[in-house]
Amino acid sequence: MRESSRVVVIGAGPAGLTLANLLQLAGVGCVVLERQSRSYVEQRQRAGVLDYASRRIFEEWGVAETLLTGVPEDRALEIRVDGEPHVLDIRALSGGRTGRAIPQQMLIARLMAAFLKGGGDLRFGADQVTLHDLAAPDSTPVVTYRDAEGTAREITCDYVAGCDGHHGVTRTAVPPREMTTYTYDHGIGWFTVLADVPPPRLPLFAISTHGFAAQFPRGPGACRLYLECAPDDVPADWTDERIWRQARLRLGDESLPAGPIVDKSVVEMRSFVVDPMRYGRLFLVGDAAHIITPMGGKGMNLAIADADVLARALRAAVLDGDEEPLAAYSATCLRRVWNQQEFSRWLTELMHESGDATLAGTFRRQLARARLDRLFTSAPAGQAFADLLAGG
Ligand code: APR
């Protein structure tokens, strides 16, 4: 089966579905190929915060109402130090540039519904996706795959968008000499659970000598808990009893209610960036090009920001014959990526070193506590923090 499309988007996570919607709005034809089933994609629960920069992107493309109706504002957060609460009023500190607290699966369901409503071509169960002729000077790319029925298919296109996450195939189609890879292991483990218990009033970061913990709302009846752990811990090391005992101890809240735990996993606290995010007519988007720790909540937002830059560049290339924005795609995205990597690393150090002195010693713990104190008492320090949370 042979066919053609302007753009083939590989992967239907936050990056692929955002890009597909923006291309549809721009009038650029695309086909989306997703390896998993629709229900798998719809149910995957990961991120939960859309920052201000992402909200602005959806507003500028005129889809904020469709995607964000009824979604609460992410207006403040609590940092609890040895049981003592400090509330940061992010709305005031950022001058109103707040994000939205939206569970990833809700955003995914809305993006998918909007794309399909607009007549979008979204194919699940696409197996053995393989890219050909990405950088050949006198031919255009070809994407081959097997569809859900096992039929071999071939799509000729002008551009390929690699939105297939960190373990996808598109990055592996790039010869290693064409890309520089940067990796960093933060030397910490995070054990995380998704629990059906009432969420905290505000997103909560807790610092104590027992180790770092965080609790974030995930919709009205659920929350995600993060607990600092040894980097080589496995979920089996954490019984439900240990989870709730440690959560109560670290959050300084003996009355924290326990409840059903729906998911347990250990998060890799690792960062990864490739440069450039392009090879010939292949453009890498989101986790396919970079991963960031969950600290700061920027993974999904970077994916959305990349998709916005690429959609605008593809619109210029396809509709106006102007390839300059495409030439600038990688550098434009990487500037933001490194800024957010720095923010995430800074916050990781601040939150962990101020509690657990085994990480970097007591001197560094006091330095981290001085930085925290500055955050609570200096308006410019609070504003700089809120500015980074807003993204952009
Ligand atoms: N062929 C087709 N699809 C593939 C393939 C493949 N070979 N490999 C992976 N995929 C699909 C996955 O099934 C998944 O649906 O690509 C999608 C990639 O989605 P994500 O891993 O969520 O990556 P991305 O869209 O870049 O979003 C990343 O979102 O969950 C948040 O914060 C998190 O940083 C993360 C961000």
Side-chain angles (χ1 to χ4, degrees):
M1 291 281 289
R2 287 197 183 152
E3 49 194 324
S4 67
S5 175
R6 279 288 187 196
V7 183
V8 176
V9 177
I10 318 287
L17 286 173
T18 301
L19 179 64
N21 272 278
L22 303 189
L23 289 176
Q24 188 176 63
L25 292 164
V28 176
C30 72
V31 175
V32 184
L33 302 180
E34 165 59 49
R35 188 179 50 182
Q36 301 285 355
S37 65
R38 178 171 182 165
S39 61
Y40 175 92
V41 172
E42 276 178 343
Q43 282 163 25
R44 195 170 26 183
Q45 308 196 11
R46 289 170 79 192
V49 177
L50 195 75
D51 69 12
Y52 169 75
S54 296
R55 170 158 79 88
R56 284 292 299 147
I57 288 169
F58 291 140
E59 282 170 0
E60 282 166 12
W61 286 88
V63 285
E65 214 177 297
T66 311
L67 300 176
L68 303 178
T69 294
V71 173
E73 188 183 15
D74 196 26
R75 61 191 163 79
L77 62 85
E78 178 182 339
I79 301 179
R80 200 175 285 170
V81 185
D82 297 329
E84 190 190 329
H86 301 265
V87 172
L88 290 178
D89 183 343
I90 300 301
R91 188 201 280 149
L93 289 166
S94 68
R97 294 181 304 136
T98 55
R100 292 284 180 269
I102 183 166
Q104 172 170 328
Q105 67 275 24
M106 181 190 279
L107 181 64
I108 289 292
R110 291 184 178 187
L111 283 167
M112 212 183 284
F115 184 59
L116 293 174
K117 193 174 166 200
D121 189 342
L122 173 50
R123 305 179 188 181
F124 294 99
D127 199 19
Q128 299 170 26
V129 167
T130 311
L131 314 184
H132 314 264
D133 296 336
L134 293 169
D138 45 9
S139 63
T140 55
V142 175
V143 178
T144 56
Y145 72 103
R146 280 196 183 272
D147 69 15
E149 281 73 47
T151 306
R153 289 183 172 261
E154 182 177 312
I155 310 178
T156 305
C157 57
D158 293 334
Y159 305 100
V160 180
C163 304
D164 50 348
H166 188 58
H167 301 288
V169 288
T170 58
R171 198 180 58 249
T172 64
V174 182
R177 65 176 182 282
E178 300 288 340
M179 264 176 186
T180 304
T181 300
Y182 300 89
T183 54
Y184 186 71
D185 181 343
H186 295 259
I188 305 162
W190 267 19
F191 175 67
T192 179
V193 304
L194 201 59
D196 284 336
V197 294
R201 200 174 60 83
L202 295 173
L204 169 62
F205 294 90
I207 287 152
S208 76
T209 51
H210 305 290
F212 172 78
Q215 191 189 19
F216 301 129
R218 287 291 185 269
C223 72
R224 187 172 276 290
L225 266 173
Y226 290 104
L227 299 164
E228 178 187 345
C229 67
D232 54 357
D233 268 12
V234 292
D237 296 328
W238 287 80
T239 59
D240 288 13
E241 194 270 328
R242 182 181 175 201
I243 292 167
W244 294 113
R245 184 163 37 84
Q246 281 297 319
R248 290 188 183 114
L249 199 61
R250 298 180 192 197
L251 299 177
D253 181 0
E254 267 312 306
S255 62
L256 184 77
I261 289 172
V262 259
D263 182 52
K264 291 185 186 182
S265 57
V266 174
V267 181
E268 271 186 286
M269 293 294 275
R270 226 161 52 80
S271 294
F272 171 94
V273 180
V274 295
D275 184 355
M277 292 166 54
R278 171 187 191 167
Y279 171 64
R281 290 172 171 264
L282 166 69
F283 296 85
L284 299 177
V285 186
D287 274 19
H290 41 74
I291 54 171
I292 187 166
T293 72
M295 184 61 98
K298 292 300 176 189
M300 184 167 80
N301 294 298
L302 284 175
I304 292 169
D306 289 352
D308 173 56
V309 177
L310 186 57
R312 289 172 194 273
L314 287 171
R315 177 172 61 188
V318 170
L319 302 186
D320 309 327
D322 175 8
E323 292 238 347
E324 253 179 49
L326 274 182
Y329 168 74
S330 177
T332 306
C333 294
L334 284 171
R335 185 159 179 261
R336 179 186 298 105
V337 168
W338 282 113
N339 190 34
Q340 302 291 0
Q341 291 282 7
E342 196 284 328
F343 172 52
S344 183
R345 174 64 199 159
W346 172 82
L347 199 54
T348 301
E349 248 175 52
L350 177 66
M351 293 289 167
H352 290 82
E353 292 186 5
S354 54
D356 181 356
T358 61
L359 287 175
T362 50
F363 186 82
R364 295 263 301 242
R365 183 181 65 198
Q366 297 312 105
L367 293 184
R369 288 201 168 212
R371 265 186 268 154
L372 269 178
D373 185 52
R374 195 184 298 147
L375 203 56
F376 301 147
T377 54
S378 149
Q383 284 158 0
F385 176 69
D387 190 54
L388 286 159
L389 271 186

